Amino acid sequence: MSNGAPSSLPPAPDHARTIWRFVMTQNPFYLLSVCFVLHGTAFWFQQQGGEFSPWPLMGLICGYVALMAVTGVLLVRWGRVWDDARSILAVILLLLTELALTFDDVLIRQPETGTALLLIGCGFSMLTCEAVLRLIGIRLRWGFRGPLHAMLALLFLYPLWVLEGAQTSSALVVGRVYGFHLVMAGVWLLLWRAVRGGSAYIAGHGTPWKWPVFPWAIFVFLGVGLALRGFSLGSAFDPATSLSTADAMTLQSAYAPYFLAPTLLAIAVLVLEAGRLSGNLITRGVGLCLPVAAIGLSCLPQQLNVPQQLFLQQFEATAGSPLWIACVAVVGVYALALARGMTAAATPLWLTLLALVFVGPATHNPGELVLPQLVPAALAAVAAAGLALGFRDSRWWMAAAVPLALCLAALPLPLELRVQGSVAGLAVLLTLIVITGRDAWTRQLGFLLLQVYFVASLALALQLDRGDWQLSALQRVAGLLGLPLLSGLIALRLWTAPAGWFAGIVGGIGCLRGGYDLTELIRLTTGWAGVQSFAIGLLLFGAGLAISIRKARRQSGEVSGPGDFVSPTG
């Protein structure tokens, strides 16, 4: 190979050019700039002690926001650099959030000054956003623009209402701190019109940005800012006055994850409506899962810090446990989705109603479930019955049987009787469903019940119920004689040989063991020594009558019930 021959190795990658291309397209310096600015302004409070003048800091942050806004407008109007303008808009929303959260301490220490700062900040933020939208040429309809300004107003002005309550009575603070999240959920619901409009609602918006990133990214950033505002309220206005000095100095907050549950439910309503209109299965699935996540957020851990305990005590005295409130609200969300035509919400609606049977106003987590409650059980049964009539589906009648049995368990009786009554009631209700049903689901349920009744008969006959739940002699006899009756009704409905054999076995076990126990019970109660002989006589009479009926049907040429096989020449 000559010295001048070209090399066959591939050229080394130009890492410098790759990095340069990334920097030019993504331009991360605006985000890095705001990070350093936020870090620099944080030292303002660390270097100032006690009361100080916050106006220079206010001017510093507002000036930087104005600089960013002017830069974004110039980049679009004279440079058409939409990617950088998008980053700048996100940065402006973060800076406005910082502006709203910066002066909470000033509001508490210097109420008049803090009020003036928040009012000026609210006006400045609304004017800045409106000016940027208009100067850049972004045509955003009021279905989006109205909620945008409402979120900004909530971010700045709500602390003034909490402060007024704190100055009047400390008991008002608890409701108003949590009420922020209820109001925030209501503000999110203002986007209902925009959600119903879909992508057509932003037609001709004047930017190259695509739906749904635009304009929903704006509300994602604002949603994060509102969540931070809620955390700030829980930290600034917690009941620290009742803490010891050591506890207060740990800077623990009364804020807990269940504060976010109302907002999550409001977002779920919007996502469900978006999924219904678009027909997107993933969107609908996310909308159906968000309420479950809200219930998960409302489950309290075993250990809470002191401010959280104090806040929770006052909150429960007013409304109830967060888990109970979340379950009630989730029922409303799923009911709305069902009313809007989303049939997939029927099952989670029924399951949530069923969960409310065991969740009370004082339940904090799944480890503190209560005994079945009558009213939620009745509501779950009525809901399932309504779904059965509306969908014409027998499976919902089966679902209605479960809460009906729980209604029996909720009656004011001893716990043992309530459990036994609910089990017996469930068996009777399911048997009635099999008898009256006319589809494949009821037939499958019938075969399943026959197997369950067979196992239950064996358990009763062998007296496998020893222990805390041991049945009395009368209860055992009732079970042994009642199961053959239910099995016989199911066998007559199904009219197949396997069903007949199962019912016959259950009947044999019930008659033999149940009859023996019944005669023993009568003998011990009345002293009648011949009761067993009398019972055997009745049993033999029944056997003779059955044989006679069989002969009569054979002679008349009819085929008897299940299991009776007649030869072709018979």
Side-chain angles (χ1 to χ4, degrees):
M1 180 182 295
S2 63
N3 293 335
S7 175
S8 60
L9 295 176
D14 191 348
H15 296 288
R17 179 172 298 179
T18 303
I19 296 174
W20 177 252
R21 185 181 298 111
F22 171 81
V23 170
M24 291 299 294
T25 55
Q26 303 299 326
N27 197 355
F29 293 106
Y30 292 116
L31 183 59
L32 293 174
S33 172
V34 75
C35 290
F36 279 95
V37 168
L38 293 175
H39 183 263
T41 54
F43 280 100
W44 188 283
F45 291 100
Q46 297 178 11
Q47 296 176 355
Q48 302 288 338
E51 295 187 2
F52 63 94
S53 176
W55 294 105
L57 181 59
M58 177 76 169
L60 184 66
I61 298 175
C62 291
Y64 187 74
V65 171
L67 174 64
M68 280 287 182
V70 171
T71 303
V73 171
L74 293 177
L75 285 175
V76 171
R77 291 182 69 90
W78 282 280
R80 313 305 297 175
V81 187
W82 285 99
D83 289 339
D84 289 2
R86 180 174 55 192
S87 301
I88 289 175
L89 290 177
V91 166
I92 289 175
L93 294 176
L94 292 177
L95 288 170
L96 293 178
T97 300
E98 186 213 11
L99 183 63
L101 302 180
T102 297
F103 303 109
D104 283 353
D105 187 66
V106 178
L107 182 65
I108 296 174
R109 295 174 181 269
Q110 308 172 46
E112 294 182 358
T113 303
T115 300
L117 288 168
L118 289 177
L119 290 174
I120 294 174
C122 180
F124 173 78
S125 65
M126 290 183 176
L127 289 175
T128 300
C129 289
E130 194 66 27
V132 168
L133 292 176
R134 290 181 179 275
L135 293 176
I136 290 180
I138 299 178
R139 291 180 288 276
L140 202 60
R141 294 190 179 183
W142 278 103
F144 286 110
R145 186 169 292 181
L148 169 64
H149 289 298
M151 289 183 177
L152 291 173
L154 184 63
L155 196 63
F156 283 90
L157 301 183
Y158 193 88
L160 302 180
W161 194 49
V162 181
L163 176 67
E164 188 272 335
Q167 293 173 340
T168 303
S169 172
S170 60
L172 294 175
V173 175
V174 176
R176 294 189 180 184
V177 168
Y178 185 78
F180 171 81
H181 299 273
L182 298 179
V183 177
M184 180 168 61
V187 171
W188 273 100
L189 291 177
L190 294 177
L191 289 164
W192 177 268
R193 173 65 185 90
V195 169
R196 289 186 52 79
S199 58
Y201 194 66
I202 64 165
H205 54 83
T207 76
W209 302 327
K210 304 296 184 182
W211 170 275
V213 175
F214 177 82
W216 289 108
I218 296 175
F219 297 96
V220 170
F221 281 98
L222 281 176
V224 173
L226 289 172
L228 293 174
R229 162 52 76 197
F231 177 81
S232 175
L233 288 176
S235 301
F237 294 95
D238 63 6
T241 55
S242 60
L243 302 179
S244 65
T245 303
D247 289 333
M249 292 304 293
T250 59
L251 299 180
Q252 293 177 331
S253 171
Y255 189 84
Y258 66 85
F259 283 38
L260 294 175
T263 301
L264 198 60
L265 291 176
I267 295 174
V269 171
L270 299 178
V271 174
L272 284 170
E273 183 66 13
R276 185 186 74 85
L277 294 172
S278 65
N280 189 293
L281 295 178
I282 296 178
T283 304
R284 282 187 289 181
V286 172
L288 291 173
C289 291
L290 285 178
V292 180
I295 293 177
L297 287 177
S298 302
C299 294
L300 299 179
Q302 296 294 336
Q303 299 295 330
L304 297 174
N305 61 42
V306 177
Q308 288 174 340
Q309 294 175 9
L310 293 174
F311 190 96
L312 184 62
Q313 290 173 3
Q314 299 182 52
F315 182 80
E316 285 188 340
T318 304
S321 72
L323 179 58
W324 180 73
I325 294 174
C327 289
V328 173
V330 166
V331 168
V333 171
Y334 284 137
L336 176 62
L338 188 62
R340 299 290 295 171
M342 292 192 61
T343 57
T347 299
L349 170 63
W350 177 77
L351 290 175
T352 309
L353 284 170
L354 205 59
L356 275 173
V357 177
F358 303 97
V359 174
T363 304
H364 296 151
N365 52 62
E368 300 178 4
L369 298 180
V370 299
L371 294 175
Q373 302 174 93
L374 182 58
V375 174
L379 290 176
V382 171
L387 293 171
L389 293 173
F391 294 154
R392 300 182 182 276
D393 192 337
S394 63
R395 287 174 292 181
W396 284 109
W397 288 116
M398 304 174 198
V402 177
L404 280 176
L406 293 176
C407 286
L408 298 176
L411 295 176
L413 297 172
L415 178 60
E416 181 179 352
L417 292 179
R418 281 190 282 171
V419 174
Q420 294 169 359
S422 63
V423 172
L426 181 61
V428 173
L429 291 171
L430 292 177
T431 301
L432 290 176
I433 291 173
V434 172
I435 295 173
T436 57
R438 292 292 183 271
D439 55 14
W441 294 104
T442 54
R443 294 182 64 84
Q444 294 177 11
L445 177 63
F447 281 110
L448 177 61
L449 287 178
L450 286 175
Q451 299 172 51
V452 172
Y453 294 164
F454 169 70
V455 175
S457 297
L458 284 180
L460 291 175
L462 299 176
Q463 296 186 356
L464 299 180
D465 58 338
R466 299 184 182 276
D468 295 337
W469 300 96
Q470 185 173 359
L471 301 176
S472 65
L474 183 59
Q475 290 172 334
R476 183 176 294 104
V477 169
L480 286 169
L481 297 181
L483 288 173
L485 175 61
L486 298 178
S487 300
L489 292 174
I490 293 176
L492 290 174
R493 170 66 185 86
L494 300 180
W495 201 254
T496 61
W501 282 109
F502 266 111
I505 295 173
V506 173
I509 295 174
C511 291
L512 292 177
R513 182 56 195 257
Y516 174 77
D517 288 346
L518 180 60
T519 56
E520 277 293 302
L521 186 62
I522 295 175
R523 184 180 65 82
L524 293 175
T525 304
T526 64
W528 181 17
V531 62
Q532 293 180 343
S533 297
F534 183 81
I536 292 174
L538 291 178
L539 184 63
L540 293 175
F541 172 79
L545 180 62
I547 292 174
S548 298
I549 293 174
R550 180 183 177 88
K551 288 181 178 180
R553 298 189 67 179
R554 275 182 172 275
Q555 290 177 2
S556 63
E558 296 178 6
V559 181
S560 68
D564 185 16
F565 300 98
V566 181
S567 64
T569 59

